[in-house]
Amino acid sequence: MSTAHGARARARIEVTAAIKDAARRQLAADGAAKLSLRAVARELGMVSSALYRYFPSRDDLLTDLIIDAYNSVGESAEAAHDKAAGAGPVERWTAACEAVRGWGLRHPHEYALIYGSPVPGYAAPDTTIPAAARVGLVFIGIVRDAHQDNALSEPPLPTELRPEAERMAADLAPDLPPGSMAALVAAWAQLFGLVGFELFGQFNRVVEDRDTFFRQAATRLAHGVGLVTQPTGTAGEGSSSGS
């Protein structure tokens, strides 16, 4: 009985993966707004009623694709951050930024799904939040380590922004200065704007050496948050795990 149950579980995993792969191909061809369970079933040679046993609605399938995409880009940022362990905060920041860009270049349609235009008629449920937070938590960890290592210079905070900055810090990272938290949120948005501009063609005939341009832009974002370039040999002394 347990052997049969295990075989059924494996078969379900395989069919679920095949459904999501077919859906990603449909995203690439037609965009998220035109994702159709019937079209996915037709590509896989399944009847629609069979596919509904795996994903009861288009929104359920979209949610799974969104969570997968957020987890994938999050894993890329985390891996780049971990690989740069021992480097200074600016270097760790730029490594994570470049990982996000690299993931977007490899997965443009999934990037568009999670950071592009909203899908008409779809509202992402709260179950997407933990995966969506992974990239942001990498950057919060870098700034937190820098703060603990005295390698963070809090940016100026306009008086009118202080209440909102204090609220963001209280909600997201109570141990960080409000000015740094506000700058971090702005830098997070600018990072995805930079990647989106490259992916969606806004840099065409404007930026030619995009690797250098992005690297310098990411470094400026790090400095804008207040990260300080440390002398060689001091990076990571007394830091926490970082994420």
Side-chain angles (χ1 to χ4, degrees):
M1 184 67 177
S2 60
T3 301
H5 179 76
R8 286 195 297 271
R10 287 193 298 273
R12 184 173 184 85
I13 290 171
E14 291 171 0
V15 173
T16 299
I19 291 170
K20 290 197 285 189
D21 285 344
R24 291 186 186 100
R25 289 191 291 273
Q26 193 175 124
L27 289 179
D30 301 318
K34 294 184 179 180
L35 181 64
S36 163
L37 291 183
R38 290 183 181 276
V40 171
R42 187 164 51 249
E43 178 181 336
L44 295 175
M46 299 173 64
V47 295
S48 298
S49 58
L51 191 146
Y52 290 136
R53 291 200 293 269
Y54 294 86
F55 295 99
S57 71
R58 179 208 70 159
D59 285 5
D60 291 307
L61 178 54
L62 267 176
T63 295
D64 255 37
L65 295 175
I66 287 168
I67 290 173
D68 286 352
Y70 275 132
N71 277 327
S72 182
V73 66
E75 288 168 5
S76 293
E78 290 162 0
H81 169 268
D82 292 345
K83 187 176 180 180
V90 174
E91 290 76 14
R92 290 162 60 202
W93 175 282
T94 55
C97 287
E98 289 185 321
V100 170
R101 174 182 178 244
W103 183 89
L105 292 174
R106 294 190 303 274
H107 305 279
H109 304 293
E110 291 170 77
Y111 188 96
L113 175 64
I114 55 177
Y115 298 119
S117 299
V119 180
Y122 174 79
D126 289 347
T127 53
T128 61
I129 293 175
R134 290 177 67 169
V135 170
L137 290 175
V138 170
F139 292 114
I140 288 175
I142 294 168
V143 175
R144 177 179 289 120
D145 283 351
H147 184 46
Q148 293 175 354
D149 289 343
N150 296 316
L152 182 70
S153 176
E154 183 180 5
L157 184 60
T159 301
E160 62 270 22
L161 182 57
R162 179 165 292 278
E164 179 62 12
E166 290 177 345
R167 184 201 62 77
M168 287 191 289
D171 287 349
L172 301 172
D175 53 335
L176 293 184
S180 296
M181 193 68 242
L184 195 159
V185 171
W188 172 70
Q190 291 171 67
L191 165 63
F192 291 107
L194 282 165
V195 177
F197 261 49
E198 181 172 1
L199 287 181
F200 305 140
Q202 282 89 346
F203 283 159
N204 291 349
R205 302 178 67 180
V206 177
V207 180
E208 294 185 358
D209 185 355
R210 295 180 183 178
D211 291 345
T212 300
F213 179 84
F214 182 86
R215 191 175 305 112
Q216 292 302 312
T219 300
R220 287 194 296 273
L221 291 178
H223 292 157
V225 169
L227 297 178
V228 177
T229 301
Q230 294 175 293
T232 302
T234 64
E237 294 178 3
S239 68
S240 68
S241 61
S243 59

